[in-house]
Amino acid sequence: MVEPATRESSLTLERGLALLQAVADSDTGAPSISDLATAIGASRAAVYRLLVPLQARGLVLRDGSKVRLGLGVLQLAAKVVPQLRNAATPPLRELAEGVGATAHLTVAEGHEAQAVAVVEPSWTTYHVAYRVGTRHPVTRGAGGKAMSLPPGGPEWIDSTGELQPGAYGVAAPVRGVPGLRASVGVISMEPLDQAAVGPRVVAAAAAVAEALS
């Protein structure tokens, strides 16, 4: 049986997280207390109470009746990429060595895709040098397009020369990680055998998802 105090703490945490999400999702960028009360289905007094611990941690800032995200959110976000990189590196290493092509984990940030982890094969004569931090539209390249593949549809997607002339890419979405739009892929200057490479990429994406779960 759940104790009343435990249940109350859980509900408070849930409402606090809902409030933080409502601030982040606001189209205006600085919603009012009334806007937030409506968004989370709470009274204005409850919103004021919930804001206190969020303000104390720098997650939100108040300017009169307006509320916006604080720099504490950026500090938390800065911790995410290293964790993603650490979790993704072993599957990417296995993929790069197995395929003989540069492997990468790409994450969506709004309308852009960013490479957050890259592993190059150790045994090839030459391979694509793909820099961590490289950005491109999510609508271009296998790594970007893979994020929009619907469940039950194609498991992977390929591209040719969309980001770099003469480069070939195959990528698959990372599924099952809440809040994360990402893909795992390989890029090569030689044509890739999709029948052989596609399943490897899908398996690597699943391994990354498992590591992050």
Side-chain angles (χ1 to χ4, degrees), residues 74-89:
L74 291 178
Q75 294 171 353
L76 287 177
K79 304 291 185 181
V80 173
V81 171
Q83 292 182 25
L84 287 175
R85 189 174 295 124
N86 290 338
T89 295

Side-chain angles (χ1 to χ4, degrees), residues 154-175:
E155 292 185 285
W156 68 81
I157 193 169
D158 70 299
S159 66
T160 302
E162 292 190 17
L163 300 178
Q164 183 175 342
Y168 300 84
V170 175
V174 176
R175 301 193 190 278

Side-chain angles (χ1 to χ4, degrees), residues 132-213:
V132 169
T134 298
R135 293 175 177 268
H136 58 83
V138 293
T139 55
R140 293 179 60 83
K145 291 179 174 179
M147 299 178 199
S148 298
L149 289 178
E155 292 185 285
W156 68 81
I157 193 169
D158 70 299
S159 66
T160 302
E162 292 190 17
L163 300 178
Q164 183 175 342
Y168 300 84
V170 175
V174 176
R175 301 193 190 278
V177 182
L180 180 69
R181 286 183 62 212
S183 68
V184 166
V186 291
I187 184 169
S188 171
M189 296 307 292
E190 297 288 341
L192 296 164
D193 180 358
Q194 287 195 54
V197 174
R200 283 181 176 267
V201 171
V202 172
V208 169
E210 183 176 356
L212 292 172
S213 299

